[in-house]
Amino acid sequence: MAYTVSTDDGHELIDVRYRGCVSIGSRIQAMNETLVLLDSTGYRRIMVDYLEAKAHLDSLASASAFASLISSDPQLRQCRITFVGSRTQQFNAVVETLADARHYPFKRFYDRASALAWLLSSASRFEPAD
């Protein structure tokens, strides 16, 4: 499987980690698993980690449909969400650009420690991302 979705109960967050070549289909499956965990835990923090992943060559239409899906979901819109990837990585560029245009509440980081600090900061606890 190209991803894992788990809870980090100590930090009250959902941890989504991708690895290898990841398609939009896999990302939809991971999103669905994340929604189940959000519902069962009540957590509203999500760290999405692309550090060990690369993008599958999905169509622009698929990327746009996925960006619309995540940005219109009422549960996700209540969350603080980080995307973590290296500075040179273009894994999520199309989806990030499209999601940002749809006011999806996420912030991009280049390491997990910075992403976690932002997710846990009291000033940003449950407000939408910048």
Side-chain angles (χ1 to χ4, degrees), residues 66-107:
F66 180 65
S68 292
L69 184 66
I70 62 174
S71 62
S72 65
D73 186 277
Q75 257 186 304
L76 293 177
R77 293 200 62 82
Q78 295 174 21
C79 294
R80 300 281 299 172
I81 302 165
T82 60
F83 291 159
V84 182
S86 70
R87 290 186 187 275
T88 58
Q89 188 179 39
Q90 293 299 310
F91 179 83
N92 209 34
V94 173
V95 172
E96 281 184 36
T97 300
L98 295 168
D100 188 42
R102 292 166 173 87
H103 307 290
Y104 181 64
F106 77 93
K107 188 165 181 176

Side-chain angles (χ1 to χ4, degrees), residues 3-101:
Y3 68 88
T4 57
V5 178
S6 61
T7 57
D8 175 340
D9 297 323
H11 294 113
E12 296 183 347
L13 65 84
I14 309 298
D15 190 6
V16 181
R17 295 186 193 214
Y18 292 102
R19 64 191 164 287
C21 189
V22 182
S23 68
I24 294 292
S26 290
R27 294 170 74 180
I28 290 170
Q29 290 174 330
M31 180 201 68
N32 289 334
E33 290 180 31
T34 299
L35 291 173
V36 169
L37 288 175
L38 288 172
D39 194 43
S40 68
T41 64
Y43 296 166
R44 291 297 174 256
R45 298 182 187 105
I46 304 170
M47 185 179 307
V48 182
D49 184 331
Y50 299 104
L51 288 169
E52 296 181 16
K54 61 181 179 179
H56 181 268
L57 294 176
D58 291 299
S59 69
L60 181 57
S62 294
S64 181
F66 180 65
S68 292
L69 184 66
I70 62 174
S71 62
S72 65
D73 186 277
Q75 257 186 304
L76 293 177
R77 293 200 62 82
Q78 295 174 21
C79 294
R80 300 281 299 172
I81 302 165
T82 60
F83 291 159
V84 182
S86 70
R87 290 186 187 275
T88 58
Q89 188 179 39
Q90 293 299 310
F91 179 83
N92 209 34
V94 173
V95 172
E96 281 184 36
T97 300
L98 295 168
D100 188 42

